[in-house]
Amino acid sequence: MWIPIRTNEDSAEPLYFQIEVQLRALILSGQLAEGTLLPSIRELAGDLNCSVITIRRVYQDLENEGLLRTKQGTGTFVAKVGTDDRERYRRDAVVEAFRAAVEAGVRVQCTDDEMRSIFDEVLKAKRYELDEKGTT
Amino acid sequence: MWIPIRTNEDSAEPLYFQIEVQLRALILSGQLAEGTLLPSIRELAGDLNCSVITIRRVYQDLENEGLLRTKQGTGTFVAKVGTDDRERYRRDAVVEAFRAAVEAGVRVQCTDDEMRSIFDEVLKAKRYELDEKGTT
Amino acid sequence: MWIPIRTNEDSAEPLYFQIEVQLRALILSGQLAEGTLLPSIRELAGDLNCSVITIRRVYQDLENEGLLRTKQGTGTFVAKVGTDDRERYRRDAVVEAFRAAVEAGVRVQCTDDEMRSIFDEVLKAKRYELDEKGTT
Amino acid sequence: MWIPIRTNEDSAEPLYFQIEVQLRALILSGQLAEGTLLPSIRELAGDLNCSVITIRRVYQDLENEGLLRTKQGTGTFVAKVGTDDRERYRRDAVVEAFRAAVEAGVRVQCTDDEMRSIFDEVLKAKRYELDEKGTT
DNA sequence: GTGGTCTAGACCACC
DNA sequence: GTGGTCTAGACCACG
């Protein structure tokens, strides 16, 4: 099974963290449905070209968060998460990200309009980037 | 001299980083004007209740970025930064923050409107928070 | 033949272990009498919705303990166990469990009375739970 | 700093788990007060004669539970836990242990009095054992 | 000095 | 085949 995760080893963020963020997003956005069997730690480690242990840590952290459920000898599955919980989690993640952005703006005394304009520009750029990929 | 910086030891971000972000913002937004003499390493360390090593690192990093300038035996000053540079720096910081936020939103498949609504909400909350403090 | 065993896949305990514990208890407490023919490996695996391998292991482990006896081509039976042995086994299991509980209590410096009170409460709750089921 | 933890490598329980249980108990019982600086991972690893990584895992797990707080470059501390929370945690641990014991008893059809008698006996034995150590 | 990350590789237990 | 534990050792970041 193939999972769309990309890692960037130039990033300051630890590998395991990059993977966690993306996997968490896949689950919370419903792209990986409840009960889905994830690739084995060895397989994913091979795909992402990293150590088994790194993946194990990812799976374990997400299990501690209640997003995964692992059974020895069987594999690791997407856990049942209440739709409400999922929606809350999902929203929280985004709210938190925007809070940080607004914080950064306020710190350098941006006006609301400045921020709005930057936001629009960034969003537009992102959508354009995605469209291109989709088209390609 | 007193500088409005707050550190949060519960944060995962390293101390030096929290301080750098805030000090950088104060300079780029013009709240600390060119030529301003910053408090000594010891003094700031005392104020923020942290190690001198931490502050030394902050000053040094910002000096490397060209935002500060140290004169032997005199102290550390806010450097001359071209207005264009300053404006670019300032904007870049905010753009970068919003890019991360949009990234987070896209990752869990938010629609543009969802993001816009979250942004508005967060911004409103922040302004409210600031007003309250200002009033107090 | 139907055997009252429930497995909990949310538990950290391995499947085979959960089943062993319960089957052992049924034998030692006399609820499964000597000579009783147990369901076939396949049948029990089907009932418990698990792999035949798991059940094979259970039967084999209990056979090694002397609680079961397998006759080629016929099936698996509850073995003859001396009444003394049975009583000793039975008691040991419970003693061991309480030893663990007391250990846990002592570790967080419970007084004897605290433990006694917790024990009473838990026991009462359990009896209540059983009564309800019995009534239903 | 010396911490009274003993490991038993003959046990089926993983090392990290044994250590976690004991450290958790020390914290919840108040024997390690809030804010106490724990030994460094290297030091404790040396004392317990195990790998640094095993200890790191212990500290990290307990941090995820909110019992510890670690600061990079500084060390690992016992976190502030509300007294209520602490008391609840503490009690829960013991209740859970007794629930398991009662479960075991019920499974082999012990009467309440049988269980009570076993409990008393085990408790008495434990207290005797502790007294002896204390005297020695 | 402290903790944080990652590696490669071994061995075990479960299904 | 799966995941679980543990090792030794390296290198980095923080204070």
Side-chain angles (χ1 to χ4, degrees):
Chain A
M1 184 205 187
W2 160 250
I3 288 203
I5 288 181
R6 287 182 313 159
T7 62
N8 168 16
E9 64 176 20
D10 291 343
S11 161
E13 286 173 336
L15 238 191
Y16 83 94
F17 186 78
Q18 298 180 35
I19 304 176
E20 273 182 30
V21 168
Q22 296 180 57
L23 195 48
R24 194 181 291 112
L26 287 170
I27 297 173
L28 293 181
S29 67
Q31 293 167 76
L32 286 174
E34 274 177 36
T36 307
L37 175 62
L38 294 182
S40 80
I41 53 178
R42 285 165 177 81
E43 189 182 346
L44 189 50
D47 288 352
L48 299 182
N49 192 27
C50 71
S51 163
V52 185
I53 295 195
T54 304
I55 303 300
R56 207 177 82 65
R57 169 162 188 184
V58 169
Y59 280 12
Q60 192 163 283
D61 283 355
L62 294 183
E63 187 175 6
N64 286 340
E65 290 180 24
L67 296 176
L68 296 183
R69 158 147 240 83
T70 123
K71 289 195 231 168
Q72 255 221 65
T74 306
T76 302
F77 302 83
V78 177
K80 271 178 269 184
V81 184
T83 316
D84 287 359
D85 282 349
R86 167 170 298 166
E87 188 48 38
R88 212 191 58 235
Y89 271 124
R90 178 171 170 265
R91 193 184 157 79
D92 281 359
V94 184
V95 167
E96 195 41 55
F98 274 96
R99 210 192 308 272
V102 166
E103 188 71 41
V106 164
R107 218 181 265 130
V108 296
Q109 305 192 304
C110 277
T111 64
D112 289 8
D113 282 341
E114 263 183 300
M115 280 192 259
R116 242 184 285 275
S117 128
I118 288 176
F119 168 52
D120 283 337
E121 173 194 317
V122 165
L123 180 54
K124 197 174 142 194
K126 185 69 189 174
R127 287 298 176 202
Y128 181 75
E129 178 195 331
L130 290 177
D131 279 355
E132 260 203 331
K133 262 192 212 151
T135 310
T136 314
Chain B
M1 185 206 187
W2 161 248
I3 291 200
I5 288 182
R6 286 183 314 159
T7 62
N8 169 16
E9 68 171 18
D10 289 349
S11 162
E13 286 174 334
L15 245 188
Y16 85 94
F17 186 78
Q18 298 181 35
I19 303 176
E20 272 183 31
V21 167
Q22 297 181 55
L23 195 47
R24 192 181 293 113
L26 288 170
I27 297 172
L28 293 179
S29 65
Q31 295 166 75
L32 285 175
E34 271 178 43
T36 308
L37 172 64
L38 294 182
S40 76
I41 289 185
R42 273 163 222 284
E43 191 183 344
L44 188 50
D47 287 352
L48 299 182
N49 192 26
C50 70
S51 160
V52 275
I53 302 184
T54 304
I55 303 300
R56 204 180 64 79
R57 170 160 190 182
V58 169
Y59 279 13
Q60 196 160 284
D61 284 356
L62 295 183
E63 194 173 352
N64 288 339
E65 290 180 23
L67 296 176
L68 296 183
R69 173 164 291 290
T70 295
K71 288 193 212 165
Q72 278 287 359
T74 310
T76 302
F77 301 84
V78 176
K80 221 180 327 183
V81 186
T83 317
D84 286 359
D85 282 351
R86 167 171 299 167
E87 187 49 35
R88 211 192 59 236
Y89 269 124
R90 180 172 169 262
R91 193 182 158 82
D92 282 359
V94 185
V95 168
E96 196 39 58
F98 273 96
R99 211 194 307 273
V102 166
E103 188 70 41
V106 164
R107 216 182 269 125
V108 296
Q109 305 193 306
C110 277
T111 64
D112 290 7
D113 282 343
E114 263 184 299
M115 279 192 260
R116 241 183 285 274
S117 129
I118 288 175
F119 168 52
D120 284 338
E121 174 193 316
V122 165
L123 179 54
K124 196 174 144 194
K126 186 67 189 176
R127 288 298 177 201
Y128 181 75
E129 180 195 329
L130 291 176
D131 280 355
E132 259 203 332
K133 262 193 211 150
T135 309
T136 313
Chain C
M1 182 206 189
W2 161 248
I3 291 201
I5 288 181
R6 287 182 314 159
T7 61
N8 169 17
E9 69 171 18
D10 289 349
S11 161
E13 284 172 336
L15 245 189
Y16 87 95
F17 186 79
Q18 297 181 37
I19 303 176
E20 272 183 32
V21 166
Q22 296 181 57
L23 193 48
R24 193 182 292 113
L26 288 170
I27 297 172
L28 292 180
S29 66
Q31 293 166 77
L32 285 175
E34 273 178 40
T36 308
L37 173 63
L38 294 182
S40 76
I41 288 185
R42 275 162 220 285
E43 190 182 345
L44 188 50
D47 288 352
L48 298 182
N49 191 26
C50 69
S51 160
V52 275
I53 302 184
T54 305
I55 303 298
R56 206 182 62 79
R57 168 160 191 182
V58 169
Y59 279 14
Q60 195 159 287
D61 284 355
L62 295 182
E63 193 173 354
N64 288 341
E65 291 180 24
L67 297 176
L68 295 183
R69 172 162 293 290
T70 295
K71 287 193 213 164
Q72 278 286 4
T74 310
T76 302
F77 300 85
V78 177
K80 220 182 324 181
V81 186
T83 317
D84 286 0
D85 281 350
R86 165 172 300 168
E87 187 49 36
R88 210 191 61 236
Y89 270 123
R90 179 172 169 264
R91 193 182 158 80
D92 280 359
V94 185
V95 167
E96 196 40 56
F98 274 96
R99 212 193 309 273
V102 166
E103 188 71 41
V106 164
R107 218 181 268 127
V108 294
Q109 304 193 307
C110 276
T111 63
D112 290 8
D113 281 343
E114 263 184 299
M115 279 192 260
R116 241 184 285 275
S117 130
I118 286 175
F119 168 51
D120 284 338
E121 172 194 316
V122 165
L123 179 54
K124 197 173 142 194
K126 186 69 189 173
R127 288 298 177 202
Y128 180 76
E129 178 196 329
L130 292 177
D131 279 355
E132 260 203 332
K133 263 193 213 152
T135 310
T136 314
Chain D
M1 184 204 188
W2 160 249
I3 289 203
I5 289 181
R6 286 181 314 159
T7 62
N8 169 16
E9 66 176 20
D10 292 343
S11 162
E13 286 172 335
L15 238 192
Y16 84 94
F17 187 78
Q18 297 180 34
I19 303 176
E20 271 182 33
V21 168
Q22 296 180 56
L23 195 47
R24 194 181 289 112
L26 287 171
I27 296 172
L28 293 180
S29 66
Q31 293 167 74
L32 287 175
E34 274 178 35
T36 306
L37 174 63
L38 294 182
S40 80
I41 54 179
R42 286 164 175 83
E43 189 182 346
L44 189 50
D47 288 351
L48 299 181
N49 193 27
C50 70
S51 163
V52 185
I53 294 194
T54 304
I55 302 300
R56 207 177 82 67
R57 168 160 191 185
V58 169
Y59 281 12
Q60 194 163 283
D61 284 355
L62 295 183
E63 187 175 6
N64 285 340
E65 292 180 24
L67 296 176
L68 296 183
R69 159 148 237 81
T70 123
K71 289 193 233 171
Q72 255 220 65
T74 307
T76 302
F77 301 83
V78 177
K80 272 180 270 185
V81 184
T83 317
D84 287 0
D85 282 348
R86 167 169 298 164
E87 186 49 36
R88 212 191 58 237
Y89 271 124
R90 178 172 170 260
R91 193 184 158 82
D92 282 357
V94 184
V95 167
E96 195 40 54
F98 273 96
R99 209 192 312 271
V102 166
E103 188 71 39
V106 164
R107 214 180 268 129
V108 296
Q109 304 193 307
C110 276
T111 64
D112 289 8
D113 282 343
E114 263 183 301
M115 280 193 258
R116 241 184 284 275
S117 126
I118 287 176
F119 167 51
D120 283 338
E121 173 194 315
V122 165
L123 179 54
K124 197 172 140 193
K126 186 66 189 175
R127 287 299 177 198
Y128 181 75
E129 179 195 328
L130 290 177
D131 279 355
E132 260 202 330
K133 263 193 212 154
T135 309
T136 314

